[in-house]
Amino acid sequence: MTSGTTEPKELMLEVKNLTVEYQSDLETVHAVNGISFSLAKGGTIGLVGETGAGKTTTALALMRLLPERTGKIRQGDILLNGTSVLKSSDKELMLLRGETIAMIFQDPMTSLNPVLTIGDQISESILLHNSQGRTPEQIQGRVDEVLNMVGIPPARKREYPHQFSGGMRQRVVIAIAMACEPDLLIADEPTTALDVTIQAQVLMMIRKLRDRLGTSLVMITHDLGIVAQTCDNVAVMYAGQLVEVGSAKDIFNRENSHHPYTNGLFGSIPKLNERVKRLKPIPGLMPDPTALPEGCYFSPRCAESANMCLKARPEVYVKGEHKIKCHKMRNVDGYVKEEAEREEAERG
Amino acid sequence: MLKYVLKRVLFMIPILFGVSFLVFAILSFTPGDPASIILGNGATQEAIDQLNHELGYDLPFLQRYFIYVKDIVTKFDFGFSYRTRLPITNELMARLPISFRLAFLSILLACLFGIPIGILTAVKQYTILDTAPTIVALIFAALPTFWLGMLLLYAFSLKLGIFPSYGATTWVHFILPMLGLGLPEAATMMRFTRSSMLETIRQDYIRTARSKGAPERRVIWKHALKNALIPIVTIVGIDFAALMGDACGTEVLYSLPGLCTMIINGIRQKDVPSVMGATLLLTALCSLVVLLVDIIYAFIDPRIKAKYSGSRG
C-alpha cells in the first residue's frame, strides 16, 4: 500500500471506493461495499477472506466481467495504469482484457470450453492481441512456449479439456492467462480446486512466472498460508469491506494491533510450533449481504464489540501503510483517522 | 467408431421386433376382421369366412405373426394389402418419398428460422428482439396444425390462388404443407435454441473467453454456439423422424399420399399388412435418424467422440 502523500512507485492498479451490488427483482445483494486499495507495478496483494466476502466479485469487477444484467458497479472507480476501466468503451475493454489484465479462474473444471482444444484456447488471446503481427507458426510457437512454462508437453495442445486431470486443467487456465504476458494478473483462488501436492506446485509456478515477467499480482484466497508465501501486501476482506490492509509484515506480525476479524482468522489456523488443544474458529456466520448490520459488519460475531460497534460504522485508522477499520483503534497509539476515508459515502 | 455404429445398427433388430409384435397384437386383438369391413354390411357369414380364409386371417394370431416375420426376414416381402391385393413394398416405396420430402422441408424451414432467431433472442434477452419473436413463436406453437393448414389453404390457394391446394406432383405442391407443418416446428425449435443458448452463455468458459478480450460476436459464434447446438441436434433429429409419422393432419388436408394416411386408412379398414409395413418403415427410419444424430454428436463434442471410440483419442 502506498500512502496518499508520497508515491514512490508507479501504481498498476488503483481501486477507489468500489461498490458492487447484485440486483434482482426480489432483493439487492451488497456484495462489495466501498473498498479501496492500490497495487504498485510488480507488487503483489493478497485479498483474504472467507467464502462470500466479495473477493471474486471484486476480481470480476476489475475486469468488468460481472454478470451483465444483475451485477452493477454502483460507485467508485478502478484505475488501471492510470486509466479508468469503468469508463472504457467496449472496444478499449477488449484490448485491456487478456493483454493488460488477465485472470486465472477458480474452477478449472468449468472454466475451459469443452469443445475446443486447449491449444486453440491458449492461442486465442495471442491471436486477439496480435499487435506484433505474428504469423500462425509464431503463434503456435508461443503456445508451445507457454505450455512448456506451465509444465504441459506441447504435444498435448491438440487435446481437449476432458483429457486432462484437474491439476493439469488448472495449468491450462494459468497458461491462458499468461499467454499474452499481462501486466496485471488476478489469481482467483487458483489452488482451491486442487489437492495439496499440486497446490504447492501451482503456487510455485505462479510465483516464478511473476518474478520472471514482472507481473503485478492480485492473489485471491482464503488461505493465509498462501498469502504469507506469495504476497507483499495483504487486504483482509469481510462482508464486502476491507477491514484491514497492510504490508505482509504489518499483518503477520502478531505484536501489532489487528482487526478482531484478522485475529479470528489467525486463531483458526493450526500452528506447528505451539501447543494448542483446540483451534478457535470465529463463531457465527457472515451477515446476510441483502440485510447488512447497522453498525460494524463484523460486530455480531466480534468478541470485542462494544455498544458503539452495533450503531456506528467504524472509521479507518492508519499507521504508515497499516489500515484498520475498527472502532477500538481510536484509542491505540500511532493510529490516526484516515481523512480520505471519511468522505466516502457509507451505504445505509 | 465403426464398431459403435455396427453395434447400434444391430440394436435396431430387437426394436423392430418389439414394435412389430406390439402393433400386430393391437391390430389383431381389437374387434372386427378385414373381410366384414371389405364386404360391407350385406355380406353373408359364409362369404366373410371365405375371404378371411383367403387373406390368411383365420389362422391363430401367433401363427400369422410368425408367417409375417418369416416372409420379411427370408424374402423381404411385406405381404399384400388386404384391400387392394397389391404388394405393400410397392406402396411403401411410392409413399415414402412424399413423407420424407414433407418432413425434410418442414424441418429445414424450422432450422432456418428457429435456430438463428433462437440465438438472437437469447443474446438479446429481455429486449424487444427477444420478446417480439417469442410472442410470435408462442402463437405458432399454440396453433393446431390442421387449423393453421386450413388458414394457409384458404389464404394462399383459395383467395390468392398462388399455390395448389392438393396433390404431390411438383415441388410447388409442397410449399403450403411445408409451411403448415414447419412453422409450428420452427417455433418449438426457436424456444429450444433460446433456452439452450441462454444456459450456455452463462457458463464459466464463456466468461473465460470474454476475459481473453474476445469480442461478443466471437464469444457467441465460436465459444457458445457449438456447445448450445449439442441438445439442438437431438431435437432436430428426433423431430424430423417424428414429423414423418406425425403429419396426418397435413397429409389429409392437402391430399398428400404419404405414410401417415396409409396408416390411418389401414387402421380404419383393418388392413394389417398396410399398417405394419408403414409402421415398421417409420420405426426403422426413426432409429436410423437417431443413430445419425448420435454420430453427428461425435463431430460436435469431443467428449462423446472419445466415448464412442472407447479411448482417449
Side-chain angles (χ1 to χ4, degrees):
Chain A
M1 296 300 293
T2 46
S3 63
T5 45
T6 49
E7 292 192 7
K9 270 190 197 168
E10 256 186 290
L11 288 183
M12 180 67 229
L13 174 71
E14 208 179 345
V15 176
K16 291 178 183 166
N17 192 25
L18 180 70
T19 305
V20 183
E21 287 170 3
Y22 291 108
Q23 183 75 53
S24 73
D25 292 343
L26 297 174
E27 55 190 16
T28 305
V29 177
H30 302 280
V32 175
N33 306 302
I35 66 168
S36 304
F37 64 91
S38 56
L39 177 63
K41 280 215 165 109
T44 308
I45 188 165
L47 214 52
V48 200
E50 52 193 306
T51 323
K55 297 170 302 203
T56 301
T57 303
T58 307
L60 291 177
L62 295 183
M63 293 190 80
R64 288 227 343 237
L65 281 173
L66 290 166
E68 243 174 84
R69 285 193 50 77
T70 50
K72 304 273 188 235
I73 298 174
R74 293 290 186 211
Q75 254 185 55
D77 204 356
I78 298 163
L79 300 179
L80 199 65
N81 272 330
T83 47
S84 168
V85 175
L86 300 188
K87 291 182 190 106
S88 299
S89 67
D90 283 356
K91 211 166 195 175
E92 290 166 330
L93 212 56
M94 274 166 211
L95 289 174
L96 283 180
R97 288 178 188 159
E99 189 162 39
T100 312
I101 178 169
M103 185 158 169
I104 299 171
F105 289 96
Q106 193 169 5
D107 188 353
M109 305 314 266
T110 57
S111 296
L112 295 172
N113 194 327
V115 302
L116 298 177
T117 63
I118 62 146
D120 279 350
Q121 297 190 54
I122 295 170
S123 64
E124 182 166 29
S125 45
I126 309 171
L127 203 74
L128 288 168
H129 303 284
N130 196 4
S131 51
Q132 300 120 298
R134 290 189 219 234
T135 62
E137 290 77 41
Q138 283 170 319
I139 290 178
Q140 286 312 310
R142 172 70 188 151
V143 172
D144 294 353
E145 206 179 297
V146 180
L147 281 172
N148 270 326
M149 202 161 72
V150 297
I152 297 174
R156 293 193 70 183
K157 69 180 170 190
R158 275 176 209 90
E159 295 184 14
Y160 292 91
H162 72 271
Q163 290 162 294
F164 291 84
S165 67
M168 290 299 255
R169 284 193 214 185
Q170 186 66 70
R171 286 161 192 251
V172 176
V173 173
I174 293 172
I176 290 174
M178 300 305 290
C180 286
E181 304 190 349
D183 301 330
L184 174 64
L185 184 65
I186 304 168
D188 183 9
E189 309 218 14
T191 57
T192 312
L194 308 177
D195 58 69
V196 184
T197 44
I198 309 294
Q199 273 185 16
Q201 281 183 26
V202 168
L203 278 181
M204 182 124 70
M205 202 171 68
I206 293 176
R207 262 204 320 254
K208 259 195 208 155
L209 294 175
R210 178 198 62 191
D211 295 344
R212 219 177 70 201
L213 305 170
T215 309
S216 316
L217 179 66
V218 177
M219 173 68 84
I220 295 172
T221 177
H222 55 249
D223 187 338
L224 284 167
I226 291 177
V227 176
Q229 282 176 52
T230 42
C231 305
D232 31 62
N233 290 295
V234 184
V236 181
M237 202 162 181
Y238 184 80
Q241 289 187 325
L242 294 183
V243 293
E244 185 167 350
V245 182
S247 67
K249 259 192 213 151
D250 292 332
I251 305 284
F252 285 95
N253 184 353
R254 303 315 302 149
E255 311 282 293
N256 282 350
S257 299
H258 289 291
H259 191 281
Y261 180 65
T262 316
N263 285 332
L265 281 183
F266 278 102
S268 35
I269 320 174
K271 294 179 195 74
L272 289 177
N273 53 359
E274 282 175 30
R275 274 186 163 273
V276 184
K277 273 201 179 142
R278 281 200 185 276
L279 293 175
K280 269 180 269 160
I282 309 171
L285 294 170
M286 188 115 63
D288 177 1
T290 60
L292 290 166
E294 194 187 328
C296 170
Y297 293 165
F298 188 58
S299 58
R301 297 171 74 182
C302 183
E304 302 167 50
S305 82
N307 226 350
M308 81 183 294
C309 298
L310 300 174
K311 284 179 189 133
R313 299 272 155 91
E315 309 274 348
V316 176
Y317 295 87
V318 193
K319 180 186 175 188
E321 289 185 18
H322 195 189
K323 298 182 185 181
I324 299 173
K325 194 184 185 84
C326 180
H327 285 306
K328 74 167 188 184
M329 297 309 292
R330 70 186 186 279
N331 300 325
V332 180
D333 275 351
Y335 286 86
V336 291
K337 227 181 249 185
E338 190 181 59
E339 293 304 315
E341 290 284 325
R342 212 190 246 168
E343 289 157 24
E344 270 181 38
E346 285 274 10
R347 302 206 55 80
Chain B
M1 188 76 176
L2 194 72
K3 212 171 132 195
Y4 174 81
V5 173
L6 208 69
K7 214 163 84 185
R8 286 287 303 269
V9 172
L10 286 176
F11 202 69
M12 281 170 60
I13 294 172
I15 293 175
L16 287 172
F17 266 108
V19 169
S20 66
F21 186 79
L22 266 178
V23 177
F24 206 91
I26 291 168
L27 288 170
S28 302
F29 290 120
T30 43
D33 57 293
S36 20
I37 293 169
I38 293 167
L39 296 174
N41 280 337
T44 59
Q45 188 60 43
E46 221 167 74
I48 289 172
D49 287 347
Q50 171 67 22
L51 186 55
N52 272 338
H53 179 72
E54 274 172 41
L55 296 172
Y57 200 79
D58 56 343
L59 295 171
F61 160 69
L62 276 178
Q63 201 175 343
R64 271 191 293 128
Y65 180 68
F66 181 75
I67 292 168
Y68 181 75
V69 172
K70 195 190 74 185
D71 281 353
I72 294 176
V73 174
T74 55
K75 296 182 280 191
F76 204 68
D77 178 6
F78 287 84
F80 292 84
S81 161
Y82 286 166
R83 233 173 59 87
T84 60
R85 307 287 176 100
L86 292 172
I88 295 292
T89 319
N90 294 358
E91 186 157 3
L92 287 178
M93 286 308 123
R95 283 171 181 266
L96 175 65
I98 291 167
S99 280
F100 188 88
R101 206 177 305 165
L102 177 60
F104 181 78
L105 288 173
S106 303
I107 207 83
L108 193 71
L109 178 86
C111 290
L112 285 180
F113 281 89
I115 295 177
I117 297 176
I119 294 170
L120 179 82
T121 52
V123 174
K124 304 277 177 199
Q125 197 191 7
Y126 299 127
T127 66
I128 183 76
L129 285 176
D130 175 23
T131 41
T134 302
I135 290 170
V136 175
L138 277 176
I139 293 172
F140 274 113
L143 286 181
T145 331
F146 73 90
W147 194 66
L148 177 64
M150 284 202 280
L151 280 187
L152 290 169
L153 257 184
Y154 181 78
F156 289 103
S157 52
L158 212 64
K159 286 281 157 192
L160 298 171
I162 306 175
F163 299 117
S165 61
Y166 65 90
T169 40
T170 66
W171 65 270
V172 186
H173 287 90
F174 280 93
I175 289 178
L176 282 187
M178 172 187 82
L179 289 175
L181 203 59
L183 285 178
E185 182 63 27
T188 317
M189 201 83 87
M190 191 213 100
R191 299 290 296 162
F192 197 82
T193 306
R194 180 178 183 270
S195 60
S196 176
M197 197 69 187
L198 278 179
E199 194 181 316
T200 309
I201 54 181
R202 296 210 171 104
Q203 296 293 318
D204 284 353
Y205 53 78
I206 297 300
R207 196 174 60 191
T208 309
R210 292 210 174 101
S211 83
K212 292 185 225 173
E216 200 55 27
R217 204 181 319 139
R218 189 182 170 93
V219 171
I220 298 299
W221 292 105
K222 188 168 164 113
H223 290 269
L225 187 62
K226 221 173 161 192
N227 284 289
L229 270 182
I230 294 169
I232 297 170
V233 169
T234 322
I235 294 293
V236 172
I238 290 173
D239 281 7
F240 170 64
L243 280 182
M244 272 196 287
D246 238 12
C248 299
T250 311
E251 282 184 19
V252 172
L253 204 60
Y254 298 93
S255 317
L256 291 176
L259 290 169
C260 295
T261 31
M262 183 171 171
I263 293 178
I264 297 283
N265 293 338
I267 291 171
R268 226 185 270 147
Q269 289 151 358
K270 201 96 188 152
D271 194 349
V272 181
S274 284
V275 181
M276 287 301 298
T279 313
L280 284 182
L281 182 62
L282 284 174
T283 310
L285 281 174
C286 203
S287 312
L288 281 176
V289 169
V290 172
L291 173 62
L292 196 70
V293 166
D294 286 350
I295 294 170
I296 293 173
Y297 260 14
F299 288 96
I300 302 179
D301 193 335
R303 288 166 295 185
I304 292 172
K305 194 173 189 175
K307 216 179 282 170
Y308 288 171
S309 39
S311 74
R312 296 202 325 161

